[in-house]
Amino acid sequence: MALRDTSLPETSGPVRTSGTALVGEERDRLLGGAHHDPHALLGAHPVPGGVLFRALRPNAREVSVLADGVRSPLVSEGDGLFSAVLPYPEIPAYELVVAYEDGGAGEQTVHDPYRFAPALGELDLHLIREGRHEELWKALGAEPMTHEGVAGTRFTVWAPNAQGVRLAGEFTFWDGTQYPMRSLGAAGVWEVFLPGIGEGARYKFEITSRYGHRFLKADPMARLTEVPPDTASVVTSSRYAWDDAEWMEHRGDTPVHRAPMSVYEVHLPSWRPGLTYRELAEELPAYVRDLGFTHVELMPVAGHPFSGSWGYQVTSYYAPTPRLGSPDDFKFLVDALHRAGIGVIMDWVPAHFPKDDWALARFDGDPLYEPGDSRRAEHPDWGTYEFDFGRTEVRNFLVANAVYWCEEFHIDGLRVDAVASMLYLDYSRDSGQWAPNVFGGREDLDAVAFLQEMNATVYRRCPGVVTIAEESTAWEGVTKPTDSGGLGFGLKWNMGWMHDSLEYVQKEPVHRKYHHHDMTFSMVYAYSENYVLPISHDEVVHGKQALVSKMPGDWWQRRANHRAYLGFMWAHPGKQLLFMGQEFAQGAEWSEKYGPEWWLLADDYHSAADHRGMRDLVRDLNTAYRDAPALWQRDTDPGGFQWSMCDAADDNVFAFVRYAEDGTPLLAVSNFSPVVREDYRLWAPEQVPAWQEALNTDAPEYGGSGVRVGDAGKLSPEDGRLRLTLPPLATVWLTPAR
């Protein structure tokens, strides 16, 4: 706040104080934080005989008005109120001179917040009422600005059920008395402009509910917060200059379902524990680029109070977690990834929010962001609240939030968490714990409308961005366009493939023939949606074991199974996602405290070569994948896939052909048996006269036994089939010989 000592002559004109004191209900409401229009009582107002000045300055000893170089003292009314009628024909340009009891701060000259007109326009309020403000972060929250020629910060908050709202912060010693906010009418928005308050100021909103309860709440629209466990919001403004124009211009050149997409899932706080956003920018892009992944997917970055939630218990939807740095620091990381040619997907969590009393829960004393119906308000699995998707302002809060991350932080994709829990009214609920929709069904029609609006808005405003649904049911049309009745996502996690394929590979090879269908069933529905094949963090925690540790057999066999499985996964229709640590066969489950076991790759570790071999395979899988359009150009086209062998259950063998748009094939053969199969015959396209090995997960450099397919060469003249040697527990990719 701009302060200066002042020593000026006092006015010699008459000052009227009788009859100016604020009394009765208006006074009680103002001082009790329950007044809807404090600007009508405070500031300067023309009255008969001059201008009435009134200021609310708790603990002040004296308050004077400074206008035209003349200082005029106000008279104390008690309780921090000061007033007087001064003989001005009209309201002058003025400031307040405030002296406090202890005298330590001297006399301070400040602008009066209650002389300013609202700093939020009618169009903003109209759009908020309609639930159509697609840049909501520019209207609500704390916005440093120059208003009526004075620098300060505009504070706005949506609290339609409150009797009153006041601003509290470190600048008021967390007492809200001094800065009551005004209601801007039917929109339910409260506003005050504070001169002299700028970046770095910590604040909360002190809300008085309709029931008379008073409590402090963090700003739902805060763009920066204190580091947990502290919970205050922080005024901030971005000054970041982006350097990724080329990436942004061309990221949407090819539709994502027709482009190569290989995703490395990362939990930023534990990937390299202790690194900040800017320090991560020095290491993560280089690592991901070296391994050939096209994208990273960041587990939730939005502010969350409990680190053990991994970010899935969000309290600050518009603020990157401050544990790793500022919002501009996070932008620096995204920028670095883009300059390295890597897209950035971010987990986004609109399905639920925690009940912390300082955050969104019962925000203005009533259910606001959550439904009022107790049968719908609470998420039964996670002890959290669900959003009220039927309320226009809540839907606007979330839709604008999706746009915010894509526009302000250049995020390339949003992976939407727990979509299934939003779509069904009876999700994890027994009979009697839910009510059907207006048609008698169990579909949450409000959630459907929200997801459609979010997807349509993001795709319209943010070219090149992809939205991805974590949806675990058979809901029809998840990736179907909204104008055709679908939810409008670009991609969907294939949870069925993940579950079935992991169920298969965890079996001992001798038992796999009884579960052969687990590996083939995915092709029955592979083209019903646009899919991502996820081996995510959820599959390597909570007793599920790391990927390599799921596999049966000794250490060599477990690694061989791991390699064969990844080779099968990378060749299967759909994009692929792999969680950090699984790229080098970490044996332990993931720990958010310690992160990946990087020491397994150290020179002095006796089995480092085993883990480096796995990492080398992932690098080569990504390289061969990107170089083979057959594996990604026709991911959503049934004509791009053909079984070569799908019924060899006794042999634990799977073989299929993928086709590029120009017809170029790639043959993938997986042998999930620990035996070498000599002279193995299988069908291959007749138009290819000869084949060559493009990738073999059994290669010695990956830790394999070194068995090669032999002279894949030509189709046998006897039966028109290829004759191959299949390595044990391995996947082989074959391409037309040059």
Side-chain angles (χ1 to χ4, degrees):
M1 184 178 293
L3 309 174
R4 66 179 185 272
D5 291 338
T6 304
S7 179
L8 292 168
E10 295 188 1
T11 180
S12 58
V15 175
R16 179 160 64 86
T17 60
S18 61
T20 65
L22 191 61
V23 296
E25 181 186 3
E26 295 275 56
R27 179 187 180 96
D28 293 341
R29 288 170 57 204
L30 178 66
L31 296 177
H35 204 288
H36 70 288
D37 190 11
H39 289 67
L41 306 177
L42 302 175
H45 303 275
V47 295
V51 175
L52 170 62
F53 293 86
R54 180 177 290 115
L56 177 56
R57 292 285 161 166
N59 303 316
R61 175 170 50 85
E62 295 178 356
V63 177
S64 301
V65 170
L66 178 62
D68 299 328
V70 177
R71 173 175 163 176
S72 305
L74 303 182
V75 177
S76 174
E77 301 181 11
D79 298 318
L81 285 168
F82 296 81
S83 66
V85 175
L86 302 180
Y88 291 102
E90 59 185 20
I91 299 174
Y94 73 96
E95 295 175 294
L96 298 177
V97 182
V98 185
Y100 288 92
E101 291 292 347
D102 60 11
E107 289 187 340
Q108 304 169 352
T109 299
V110 298
H111 290 283
D112 183 2
Y114 298 93
R115 76 170 177 83
F116 293 92
L120 191 65
E122 286 299 323
L123 178 59
D124 289 307
L125 293 172
H126 171 75
L127 292 173
I128 291 170
R129 286 196 302 271
E130 295 294 315
R132 292 292 183 269
H133 204 307
E134 295 176 0
E135 296 181 336
L136 190 65
W137 65 94
K138 296 181 179 180
L140 297 181
E143 182 71 19
M145 63 192 311
T146 298
H147 181 47
E148 297 181 7
V150 177
T153 298
R154 181 198 67 201
F155 294 90
T156 48
V157 64
W158 178 60
N161 301 307
Q163 283 194 69
V165 180
R166 303 191 290 194
L167 188 69
E170 58 186 349
F171 42 86
T172 68
F173 302 98
W174 299 104
D175 178 5
T177 304
Q178 183 168 315
Y179 293 128
M181 302 172 71
R182 64 178 148 207
S183 169
L184 296 182
V189 174
W190 300 76
E191 180 264 0
V192 70
F193 173 74
L194 291 194
I197 298 297
E199 294 183 55
R202 297 179 299 150
Y203 69 98
K204 285 188 177 182
F205 297 111
E206 184 186 271
I207 294 176
T208 301
S209 76
R210 71 169 78 189
Y211 314 106
H213 302 135
R214 191 183 304 159
F215 41 84
L216 288 173
K217 287 285 191 175
D219 184 357
M221 302 294 299
R223 301 195 293 274
L224 177 63
T225 68
E226 289 186 298
V227 178
D230 295 324
T231 59
S233 306
V234 183
V235 178
T236 188
S237 183
S238 178
R239 291 179 176 80
Y240 189 76
W242 289 93
D243 192 26
D244 64 348
E246 184 176 358
W247 170 271
M248 296 295 287
E249 182 180 354
H250 295 290
R251 68 178 179 179
D253 286 354
T254 303
V256 66
H257 61 279
R258 295 178 53 215
M261 186 177 185
S262 178
V263 184
Y264 183 62
E265 188 186 22
V266 177
H267 180 250
L268 283 178
S270 68
W271 186 72
R272 293 281 191 181
L275 295 190
T276 65
Y277 291 128
R278 288 185 178 265
E279 290 167 339
L280 284 163
E282 299 299 318
E283 297 192 28
L284 182 61
Y287 183 80
V288 175
R289 182 172 184 170
D290 175 65
L291 289 187
F293 288 97
T294 65
H295 291 73
V296 293
E297 180 175 314
L298 308 179
M299 291 168 65
V301 174
H304 51 281
F306 177 48
S307 61
S309 79
W310 310 335
Y312 293 97
Q313 301 270 4
V314 179
T315 48
S316 302
Y317 276 79
Y318 285 79
T321 175
R323 292 177 175 91
L324 307 183
S326 70
D328 279 0
D329 293 336
F330 179 57
K331 291 179 180 180
F332 183 86
L333 172 59
V334 175
D335 206 349
L337 286 161
H338 284 171
R339 294 196 305 272
I342 299 160
V344 181
I345 301 166
M346 188 185 83
D347 277 13
W348 188 54
V349 192
H352 65 116
F353 60 92
K355 296 180 178 179
D356 299 69
D357 58 8
W358 52 269
L360 294 178
R362 299 295 193 267
F363 185 76
D364 57 7
D366 284 281
L368 188 64
Y369 289 90
E370 68 273 34
D373 185 341
S374 60
R375 292 172 299 180
R376 296 183 58 191
E378 298 197 24
H379 197 294
D381 290 345
W382 301 315
T384 53
Y385 284 129
E386 297 185 7
F387 282 102
D388 185 355
F389 300 115
R391 185 160 193 162
T392 57
E393 298 93 340
V394 174
R395 196 165 64 242
N396 191 176
F397 172 82
L398 292 170
V399 171
N401 186 246
V403 173
Y404 171 75
W405 289 104
C406 297
E407 291 191 353
E408 294 292 319
F409 292 90
H410 291 196
I411 296 298
D412 305 296
L414 296 173
R415 177 266 194 183
V416 183
D417 181 64
V419 170
S421 74
M422 291 187 274
L423 291 175
Y424 298 97
L425 294 167
D426 63 344
Y427 186 88
S428 288
R429 292 177 171 88
D430 294 328
S431 59
Q433 295 179 329
W434 63 282
N437 62 35
V438 293
F439 301 109
R442 64 191 188 106
E443 300 83 7
D444 190 329
L445 303 180
D446 291 331
V448 171
F450 155 67
L451 291 170
Q452 290 175 324
E453 181 182 345
M454 181 277 296
N455 281 315
T457 304
V458 167
Y459 277 102
R460 171 171 50 82
R461 290 186 61 114
C462 310
V465 167
V466 61
T467 60
I468 306 167
E470 185 211 13
E471 203 285 312
S472 54
T473 74
W475 185 281
E476 185 177 355
V478 173
T479 59
K480 191 177 180 180
T482 57
D483 58 6
S484 300
L487 295 183
F489 286 94
L491 297 167
K492 171 183 172 174
W493 272 22
N494 194 335
M495 310 295 282
W497 172 89
M498 176 273 297
H499 179 272
D500 290 346
S501 62
L502 288 179
E503 183 74 15
Y504 177 87
V505 295
Q506 290 179 81
K507 304 293 184 185
E508 291 286 348
V510 69
H511 299 304
R512 285 175 174 168
K513 63 183 179 180
Y514 304 110
H515 301 271
H516 195 76
H517 64 282
D518 284 337
M519 294 290 270
T520 60
F521 181 65
S522 60
M523 291 312 303
V524 173
Y525 60 87
Y527 300 103
S528 61
E529 304 280 3
N530 305 332
Y531 282 116
V532 175
L533 312 179
I535 300 299
S536 72
H537 64 279
D538 276 331
E539 309 316 314
V540 296
V541 291
H542 298 328
K544 294 181 181 179
Q545 300 182 300
L547 185 56
V548 72
S549 299
K550 296 176 189 287
M551 307 300 177
D554 58 22
W555 175 232
W556 189 94
Q557 289 180 324
R558 292 202 302 273
R559 288 185 295 119
N561 274 293
H562 189 165
R563 293 192 301 268
Y565 180 70
L566 293 185
F568 177 86
M569 172 182 173
W570 255 250
H572 190 284
K575 314 308 178 183
Q576 53 277 332
L577 175 143
L578 189 66
F579 183 61
M580 64 184 194
Q582 311 315 300
E583 77 274 16
F584 58 84
Q586 173 177 315
E589 289 187 340
W590 168 58
S591 160
E592 74 272 7
K593 182 177 181 180
Y594 300 109
E597 296 181 322
W598 298 110
W599 54 271
L600 295 173
L601 301 167
D603 290 339
D604 57 355
Y605 181 62
H606 64 88
S607 295
D610 296 342
H611 298 280
R612 290 174 181 171
M614 181 64 69
R615 189 174 63 177
D616 290 343
L617 170 64
V618 170
R619 180 188 296 110
D620 289 351
L621 279 170
N622 280 326
T623 300
Y625 166 77
R626 295 180 78 163
D627 290 344
L631 294 179
W632 42 264
Q633 276 186 340
R634 301 175 71 183
D635 263 338
T636 60
D637 176 5
F641 178 92
Q642 188 173 14
W643 281 111
S644 171
M645 181 172 288
C646 64
D647 56 357
D650 289 340
D651 299 335
N652 299 343
V653 171
F654 306 87
F656 52 83
V657 181
R658 300 290 305 279
Y659 294 96
E661 289 179 346
D662 65 1
T664 301
L666 182 145
L667 174 62
V669 186
S670 297
N671 175 21
F672 285 101
S673 178
V675 299
V676 178
R677 299 198 179 279
E678 303 279 359
D679 197 32
Y680 200 82
R681 296 181 300 165
L682 50 85
W683 175 89
E686 297 178 1
Q687 69 268 27
V688 179
W691 297 81
Q692 63 185 12
E693 186 179 284
L695 184 137
N696 184 341
T697 67
D698 192 50
E701 55 266 32
Y702 307 141
S705 62
V707 174
R708 300 292 183 180
V709 298
D711 184 13
K714 303 173 183 147
L715 299 178
S716 167
E718 301 172 6
D719 54 14
R721 302 206 167 216
L722 276 180
R723 295 178 181 271
L724 307 175
T725 297
L726 300 186
L729 296 174
T731 293
V732 179
W733 294 357
L734 301 171
T735 55
R738 296 176 182 175

